[in-house]
Amino acid sequence: NTGQSGMVRFVCLGVCIVFGLAACSGGGGGDVGAGNGAPADGFAALRDRVTTAGITPFATLPTMGEVAYAGRVRLSLPLGGAAVARYDGDLDLRVHFGAAPDPVTGRIGNLQGGAGPVTGHLQISDGRFYPDAAAARDYQFTAELSGTLMQNAAAHDVTAEMSGDFHGPQGAGVAGVIARGAVRQSDDLQLFDGSFAAERANSGG
C-alpha cells in the first residue's frame, strides 16, 4: 500500500478555501478554533512539541513492526443542527510498517466540547503510505475516518480523510489534518475539518 507521491497539500488547501475549513495547511496546519481567540492549550502544545522536531525522512522509518501513537484531535463539528463548534478527543493510531494490508488503523473517541460530550467513535482504516512524498508539499500517509456519533439522542454519520506526516527521529510523532469531513443526519449534510497530533506510545519489532 504505497504510492509514488503523497496526498498533495495544495488539494487540501483548495478544499479549505472553498468550504472555509480552517485546519488545512502545509507544515502541520493551523489550530482549529484559533480564529475565535482560543488561547494556547494542551492540544496546541502537543502539536507544537511533535512538529518542532521536523518531518522524518521516510527512508529512516522502521521497516517492520507496529508503532502505536497516542494523542489528541481537534474537530470543528456541526452536530444536532447546531452551529459548528470545537470538539477535542482522544486519538489512538496504529501504524503497521512492512507488508501490512492496512498500514494505518486506529480510532478517535471521547469527543467533548461544543454542546457537550459525544458518544461513539470514528474508525481509522484504509491507510496508505507515500514514501516519495515531498516535504512541505505532500503528506506521508493518508487514512479514512468513518463512524456514528451520538449527541442528545441524535445519530450523526461521519466520514472524513486524515492526512499526516511522521516527525522526529524514526517517526517519534505524527501530525496532520482531517479534511473532506461530512456529517450526515437524516437528509442534512454539513462539512467539517480538524487536525491531529500524537506521540509514539511504543514500538514493535
Side-chain angles (χ1 to χ4, degrees), residues 8-62:
V8 178
R9 296 170 193 263
F10 296 146
V11 173
C12 178
L13 182 59
V15 173
C16 297
I17 293 172
V18 173
F19 295 114
L21 306 182
C24 296
S25 69
D31 190 9
V32 176
N36 61 12
D41 57 16
F43 175 81
L46 170 62
R47 188 192 58 199
D48 290 346
R49 187 164 66 246
V50 168
T51 58
T52 294
I55 295 176
T56 310
F58 206 95
T60 68
L61 292 170

Side-chain angles (χ1 to χ4, degrees), residues 115-132:
V118 177
T119 59
H121 66 274
L122 303 179
Q123 200 70 26
I124 302 169
S125 61
D126 297 326
R128 289 181 61 87
F129 289 147
Y130 301 94
D132 298 326

